[in-house]
Amino acid sequence: METNRRRVRLVWYGLLAITSGVLALAMLPPVLSAPLQAVVRDGFAPVCHQMPARSLHVGGVPVALCDRCTGIYVGLVLGVAGTGWGSDLWGMIGAYGRYVFLGAIVPVGLDWAGPLLHLWENGPASRILTGLLFGIVAASYVTIRLLRRKARASGAGGPK
């Protein structure tokens, strides 16, 4: 039984290491040489527009993600971490979890659509915060399901 719990915990450690590593990699360009900055940016280009005006800068050099994607990636780390350390919020939400997950997309969509439709302007703070909310919810939703699946497969029971 203890071995099975360790296996579930190892899955969580792996998810936390992967999400943290990807976030750290995205934050590296300000401390890298120009050729390495280009390699990192190219790696993140398929998932992020990386517009310098909409990206965090460290020492005048933009990171490899825009504000919203930075919020999402930080949220992914926090969502995975919170799922492994915290109480089972998704268990309390029960069958409505998918609606919470889908609802987390709404603020991101509104923040994106407002300026596009000339209804309001957004800024770095709104882009980061809406991305953060979505990242936390998405990561915790997926993580708890992966941990439950691993627990059932290994016979550990795991979070319900």
Side-chain angles (χ1 to χ4, degrees):
M1 185 75 140
E2 187 61 34
T3 302
N4 294 335
R5 284 196 184 123
R6 284 188 194 143
R7 289 180 183 156
V8 172
R9 204 66 167 162
L10 282 174
V11 170
W12 177 72
Y13 289 140
L15 291 170
L16 189 57
I18 290 167
T19 55
S20 298
V22 170
L23 175 62
L25 182 63
M27 298 296 120
L28 276 178
V31 298
L32 297 175
S33 65
L36 288 176
Q37 287 177 19
V39 169
V40 171
R41 280 198 183 82
D42 287 347
F44 284 94
V47 295
C48 181
H49 59 69
Q50 304 173 332
M51 292 170 53
R54 291 186 173 211
S55 297
L56 296 173
H57 287 69
V58 177
V61 178
V63 298
L65 298 169
C66 70
D67 296 329
R68 186 169 290 119
C69 288
T70 298
I72 291 170
Y73 280 61
V74 169
L76 293 175
V77 173
L78 295 176
V80 170
T83 302
W85 286 325
S87 64
D88 185 12
L89 177 63
W90 292 107
M92 292 186 288
I93 294 171
Y96 299 103
R98 73 186 73 172
Y99 301 112
V100 173
F101 173 66
L102 293 172
I105 297 171
V106 173
V108 174
L110 290 174
D111 190 56
W112 172 81
L116 185 70
L117 299 173
H118 305 289
L119 298 174
W120 63 77
E121 288 299 316
N122 64 13
S126 71
R127 291 189 292 266
I128 289 171
L129 291 174
T130 57
L132 182 67
L133 173 68
F134 175 72
I136 290 171
V137 172
S140 64
Y141 183 81
V142 171
T143 300
I144 197 66
R145 273 147 189 75
L146 289 173
L147 295 179
R148 286 176 184 163
R149 181 170 291 180
K150 179 63 178 171
R152 281 193 303 271
S154 64
K160 297 192 183 343

